[in-house]
Amino acid sequence: MNTIKPYYHSAGITIHHGDCLDVLPTLPSESVDFVLTDPPYLVGYQGRWDSARKVIVGDEDPAWIRPAFAEIWRLMKPDTLCVSFYGWPHVDAFLGIWKEIGFRPVSHLAFVKRQWGLGRFTRSGHETAFLLAKGHPPKPAVAISDVFDWHRDETALHPNQKPVASMAAILHAYCPPNGIVLDPFMGSGSTLRAAKNLDMRAIGIEIEESYCTKAATRMAQGILTSLFRIDT
Ligand SMILES: C[S@@+](CC[C@H](N)C(=O)[O-])C[C@H]1O[C@@H](n2cnc3c(N)ncnc32)[C@H](O)[C@@H]1O
């Protein structure tokens, strides 16, 4: 197993710049306590404010789903959980592969936005994620709601940026204190920022260097109380 030099490492937070299909195999088996990730949705999404209007890497070709989640499974400790967002038009592809690998869906989460998109048949006002089990994880001390308010962060660092408060609520419920969180599709680092706010350790991987830079800058900032709210 090759070790690779991280792009950023400080106070238990590690960022790797690269393709997660190359980086994940370098990490030790059964070493992470929880996975919270937001992979490409396979919808050819283009960032709205980016003048280049580049498509998100991996958003057009589903070939990465199986190898990435097979590696995620290998890295998860026995009897642990993974939360993954997904693109709803391709739910069959995501769910089919997750189940083939061995994941068991144990809940489905909805994130409700206050601002709605223009839409076509409906105006989109929510995002969704599956809670997936490897083995038989213990139930959390308190079962949290499966509906989250989408408290939009002030800063827009990524077109698919997730609210840190919601990510923190998920980590608080499902990752043990001082546990290690993995996000192989890190983007601007919302999962890692939430982990840092909760004094957890975290590993993020991102293929676009510009997002690694933004995430690293975010890790260096102090804890903002507005980003630390725990939704239950
Ligand atoms: C949906 S976005 C994640 C946004 C993130 N949740 C945030 O709050 O900023 C998915 C990210 O995965 C990255 N990505 C796509 N394919 C990848 C791969 N094979 N390895 C690592 N990162 C990848 C994309 O560049 C994109 O930034």
Side-chain angles (χ1 to χ4, degrees):
M1 188 178 296
N2 299 323
T3 50
I4 52 165
K5 190 172 178 293
Y7 182 88
Y8 170 95
H9 180 73
S10 177
I13 305 290
T14 305
I15 294 174
H16 291 290
H17 168 223
D19 187 332
C20 68
L21 299 182
D22 298 328
V23 177
L24 291 170
T26 70
L27 304 177
S29 300
E30 300 188 354
S31 58
V32 304
D33 294 280
F34 185 67
V35 177
L36 174 52
T37 195
D38 179 26
Y41 313 141
L42 305 176
V43 293
Y45 188 83
Q46 295 179 309
R48 259 177 304 191
W49 70 80
D50 186 341
S51 57
R53 293 188 73 83
K54 283 196 311 185
V55 173
I56 298 289
V57 174
D59 218 26
E60 292 179 306
D61 177 2
W64 53 266
I65 304 180
R66 187 183 305 276
F69 278 93
E71 275 298 299
I72 288 170
W73 174 275
R74 181 183 69 81
L75 296 180
M76 288 170 67
K77 291 180 181 172
D79 303 321
T80 53
L81 293 160
C82 164
V83 166
S84 181
F85 289 81
Y86 64 96
W88 66 262
H90 302 282
V91 62
D92 49 345
F94 283 96
L95 256 186
I97 290 171
W98 288 334
K99 287 183 177 176
E100 275 173 34
I101 290 170
F103 285 108
R104 210 162 37 87
V106 291
S107 188
H108 190 240
L109 315 181
F111 301 80
V112 180
K113 300 179 179 181
R114 292 165 194 209
Q115 285 155 323
W116 296 0
L118 289 178
R120 293 173 66 201
F121 292 96
T122 58
R123 294 184 63 190
S124 173
H126 76 293
E127 296 200 20
T128 47
F130 275 96
L131 179 62
L132 304 163
K134 173 178 177 177
H136 294 276
K139 285 189 208 148
V142 178
I144 61 169
S145 168
D146 59 6
V147 178
F148 297 80
D149 270 340
W150 187 284
H151 297 290
R152 197 158 156 263
D153 295 343
E154 302 304 314
T155 48
L157 300 169
H158 192 291
N160 305 130
Q161 192 167 330
K162 296 293 173 284
V164 170
S166 305
M167 301 298 101
I170 291 169
L171 296 183
H172 185 66
Y174 301 119
C175 186
N178 303 316
I180 300 184
V181 182
L182 171 69
D183 183 352
F185 298 95
M186 174 194 74
S188 63
S190 306
T191 298
L192 272 64
R193 184 64 235 194
K196 185 174 168 68
N197 289 358
L198 294 170
D199 280 332
M200 292 173 180
R201 289 167 289 164
I203 302 165
I205 307 169
E206 170 57 48
I207 204 164
E208 293 265 19
E209 187 169 7
S210 60
Y211 293 135
C212 292
T213 308
K214 287 177 182 174
T217 305
R218 241 176 147 183
M219 295 314 126
Q221 289 163 350
I223 295 176
L224 305 176
T225 50
S226 65
L227 301 183
F228 191 53
R229 182 173 39 216
I230 302 282
D231 299 327
T232 52

